Amino acid sequence: MTAAASAGLRVERDQDTGVAVLTLDRPARHNAIDLPMAAELTATWRELRYDDTVRAVVLTGAGDRAFCTGIDRGAEVPQPSSPYSLDDPLLTVGPKANDLWKPVLAAVNGMACGGAFYLLGEAEFVLAAEHATFFDPHTTYGMVSAYETIHMAQRMPFGEVARMALMGTAERMSARRAYEVGLVSELCPGDGLLPAALRAAATVASFPTEAVQGTVRALWSTKAAARAGALPLAPHLITLGNAPPAHQTTLFTTRPHTHDLR
């Protein structure tokens, strides 16, 4: 087992099984993604393309409170003055955006919300701890949920994605409900989540890698047309529909922080 850490990430490679564990490692910030972590995720996925000792990846978060809560609210993302341009640092934080076709299994160990769906949306399948929850806070805080809903619409029934996006922070989807609607493929006790993900990843990694990656490409080809049509609309919808930043901040600090769980 070899390990490396930088910019809020940990990467551990097991050459015996061919599995790498990529851990979002900012538990004090609920594993939210700041700009250095976003850049490091991009670099790590691209590095893994060339590492032939890695044949499958498990993606998880540090601690047991959160898998990832999206972009860190403290991150300052400069934007061009043109209304036709939008810079989104999360666009390249996922494996498929970086042309990695080795299978990625997501192990969701707590809250997964907002920008976390960029990552979950590019995993082959998802395992979750029984206490995990899923929600999309955008509309509550005056923001358009565009990329997130596009990713999740590839993984869940339309009505479930719509409910999660439109209910904002008022409601969270339980791991059990996520399993029922097909977002999650396996539920695990909290301390059994990573071992279950590692077992599944080791099984996949034990098969001929060319056949595995070809199967991953075939699976994703079924989604290519829908994604290609939807994703270019996202920045325009965000530019048109997002509230001004100051109003977003007001909503964030004044909205009640209570929620229902279903």
Side-chain angles (χ1 to χ4, degrees):
M1 177 78 75
T2 60
S6 62
L9 292 182
R10 281 187 284 118
V11 185
E12 300 165 279
R13 295 171 171 86
D14 188 331
Q15 294 189 2
D16 292 332
T17 64
V19 175
V21 178
L22 177 56
T23 304
L24 310 177
D25 194 15
R26 302 183 72 222
R29 298 290 293 177
H30 290 158
N31 299 319
I33 301 172
D34 60 6
L35 299 187
M37 183 197 276
E40 192 66 21
L41 275 165
T42 298
T44 300
W45 294 125
R46 299 195 71 80
E47 176 191 342
L48 289 172
R49 295 169 67 220
Y50 293 94
D51 188 344
D52 291 337
T53 69
V54 174
R55 299 183 297 279
V57 181
V58 172
L59 173 66
T60 193
D64 60 5
R65 297 182 63 191
F67 167 75
C68 177
T69 53
I71 190 74
D72 192 309
R73 285 192 60 81
E76 294 188 10
V77 183
Q79 294 295 333
S81 59
S82 170
Y84 303 105
S85 301
L86 177 72
D87 284 348
D88 185 339
L90 299 187
L91 285 181
T92 58
V93 298
K96 305 303 176 293
N98 291 287
D99 200 35
L100 179 74
W101 301 99
K102 299 177 183 183
V104 176
L105 285 59
V108 178
N109 49 304
M111 290 186 293
C113 66
F117 299 148
Y118 288 70
L119 295 169
L120 297 185
E122 294 194 5
E124 270 55 70
F125 57 90
V126 178
L127 300 84
E130 292 169 342
H131 69 278
T133 56
F134 303 82
F135 63 102
D136 189 344
H138 281 76
T139 55
T140 299
Y141 302 129
M143 296 180 285
V144 174
S145 178
Y147 290 108
E148 294 81 3
T149 51
I150 291 168
H151 281 300
M152 288 297 98
Q154 307 293 312
R155 309 202 73 110
M156 291 193 295
F158 179 92
E160 294 293 335
V161 181
R163 177 164 181 158
M164 183 165 64
L166 296 175
M167 293 293 286
T169 62
E171 185 175 88
R172 297 186 184 183
M173 177 184 289
S174 67
R176 169 60 58 180
R177 182 60 181 162
Y179 176 75
E180 291 170 350
V181 302
L183 173 60
V184 169
S185 66
E186 182 177 351
L187 291 179
C188 310
D191 59 0
L193 174 63
L194 189 57
L198 288 171
R199 283 194 299 271
T203 297
V204 174
S206 72
F207 301 148
T209 189
E210 293 83 0
V212 168
Q213 290 191 46
T215 300
V216 170
R217 288 300 301 260
L219 285 166
W220 282 87
S221 71
T222 67
K223 303 182 177 188
R227 288 164 60 87
L231 287 174
L233 293 174
H236 307 296
L237 298 173
I238 292 168
T239 300
L240 285 169
N242 271 16
H247 187 44
Q248 292 180 28
T249 299
T250 299
L251 291 172
F252 186 80
T253 56
T254 59
R255 289 279 187 178
H257 292 283
T258 58
H259 65 268
D260 295 325
L261 182 68
R262 71 180 187 98

